[in-house]
């Protein structure tokens, strides 16, 4: 058994993952990991990458506790070899945050996303997509626990950087507008929610075109707003538009 064979299994795992064959993906990563361990005889970066990939597969399957175990295995190796101030460790903290978010343990999710953010700010600086993702993730977790002021604060940080780095008509900006709309919808500020959802919809229409699932999600959000307002005809119109895209 050679490192080349382990590399083949590792790359095959990502192909399986992208093809949504999660069982085969996990099996490929597991085989790869076993070979790396046999070759090097101790914890190594390749092994850490395999554990992280296996955790991502399990997270995708909704097996959050198992995913967390693999992410932590990867984390211990990375901390030992590269230290905390590395993008690899920031990514593991990010993955742990997403796994705890999936479990509904939002305070733990916030802690790990904050750790990821702190490292990213030190290692790659504030104007980077990883930092934008962290702000959005933290904002979503605060939204889930009902801390709307903190949620909108983090979403606005993400929006500010996205506008500075990418300009107006990009996916990251649309995402931030949608997130801010979600906060306003949650607190019943309907007019503000509509403004941000429509901003997001306008961008998504230009980026993806009218028949894309991202556009459909905005129709669902706008339909929900109409429903809150008692505009049931408007709600049905938006839901029908979304339905026509999804089916």
């Amino acid at each position: 058994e050679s490192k080349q064979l382990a590399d083949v299994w590792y790359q095959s795992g990502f192909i399986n993952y992208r093809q949504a064959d999660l069982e085969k993906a996990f099996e490929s990563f597991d085989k790869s990991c076993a070979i790396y361990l046999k070759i090097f005889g101790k914890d190594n970066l390749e092994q850490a990458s395999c554990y992280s990939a296996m955790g991502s597969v399990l997270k995708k399957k909704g097996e959050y506790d198992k995913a967390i175990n693999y992410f932590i295995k990867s984390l211990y190796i990375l901390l030992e070899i590269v230290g905390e101030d590395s993008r690899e460790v920031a990514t593991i903290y990010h993955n742990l945050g997403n796994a705890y978010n999936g479990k509904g343990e939002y305070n733990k999710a916030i802690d790990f996303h904050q750790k990821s953010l702190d490292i990213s700010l030190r290692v790659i600086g504030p104007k980077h997509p990883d930092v934008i993702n962290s702000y959005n993730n933290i904002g979503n977790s605060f939204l889930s626990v009902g801390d709307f002021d903190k949620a909108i604060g983090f979403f606005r940080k993400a929006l500010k950087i996205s506008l500075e780095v990418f300009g107006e008509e990009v996916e990251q900006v649309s995402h931030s507008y949608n997130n801010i709309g979600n906060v306003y919808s949650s607190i019943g500020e309907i007019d503000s929610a509509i403004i941000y959802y429509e901003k997001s919809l306008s961008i998504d229409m230009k980026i993806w075109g009218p028949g894309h699932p991202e556009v459909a999600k905005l129709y669902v959000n706008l339909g929900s707003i109409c429903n809150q307002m008692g505009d049931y005809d408007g709600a049905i119109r938006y839901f029908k538009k979304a339905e026509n895209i999804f089916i």
Side-chain angles (χ1 to χ4, degrees), residues 2-55:
S2 65
K3 184 177 184 298
Q4 286 79 10
L5 178 59
D7 292 342
V8 167
W9 281 118
Y10 183 71
Q11 293 301 326
S12 297
F14 281 109
I15 293 169
N16 299 144
Y17 184 85
R18 294 186 190 102
Q19 293 175 335
D21 191 341
L22 299 180
E23 296 297 334
K24 193 172 284 187
F26 188 88
E27 182 182 322
S28 296
F29 290 132
D30 194 27
K31 286 179 179 179
S32 179
C33 192
I35 297 173
Y36 287 136
L37 184 57
K38 189 173 181 180
I39 292 169
F40 295 109
K42 62 178 182 178
D43 291 340
N44 55 83
L45 290 177
E46 287 86 353
Q47 189 184 351
S49 296
C50 282
Y51 285 147
S52 177
M54 291 160 80

Side-chain angles (χ1 to χ4, degrees), residues 136-206:
N136 279 320
N137 287 326
I138 296 170
N140 278 317
S141 293
F142 276 122
L143 180 58
S144 295
V145 298
D147 193 334
F148 303 117
D149 287 340
K150 285 184 179 176
I152 206 164
F154 278 101
F155 291 147
R156 289 195 183 281
K157 286 181 179 181
L159 175 61
K160 183 175 184 291
I161 297 171
S162 296
L163 287 169
E164 288 176 4
V165 174
F166 301 112
E168 177 77 24
E169 293 179 358
V170 295
E171 184 180 356
Q172 290 87 346
V173 170
S174 172
H175 191 201
S176 291
Y177 284 147
N178 182 61
N179 285 338
I180 293 169
N182 288 339
V183 177
Y184 282 124
S185 176
S186 297
I187 61 179
E189 293 191 20
I190 303 301
D191 290 342
S192 294
I194 290 171
I195 288 169
Y196 280 97
Y197 284 147
E198 287 183 343
K199 283 184 175 185
S200 181
L201 178 62
S202 175
I203 294 170
D204 282 355
M205 290 285 275
K206 290 172 184 172

Side-chain angles (χ1 to χ4, degrees), residues 64-133:
Y64 298 114
D65 286 328
K66 289 181 180 178
I68 287 165
N69 286 336
Y70 276 99
F71 289 142
I72 289 173
K73 284 183 178 183
S74 180
L75 178 64
Y76 284 152
I77 295 171
L78 290 170
L79 289 173
E80 181 69 25
I81 295 175
V82 300
E84 185 162 55
D85 275 357
S86 69
R87 289 188 68 182
E88 293 86 355
V89 169
T91 298
I92 293 296
Y93 283 142
H94 165 85
N95 289 336
L96 282 163
N98 284 340
Y100 277 111
N101 194 71
K103 284 187 70 178
E105 295 186 25
Y106 301 115
N107 288 323
K108 283 187 178 179
I110 290 166
D111 287 343
F112 280 111
H113 282 311
Q114 187 67 57
K115 285 184 176 183
S116 179
L117 173 63
D118 291 342
I119 294 170
S120 293
L121 287 170
R122 290 195 299 270
V123 173
I124 55 180
K127 295 184 179 181
H128 191 278
D130 289 357
V131 171
I132 295 169
N133 287 336

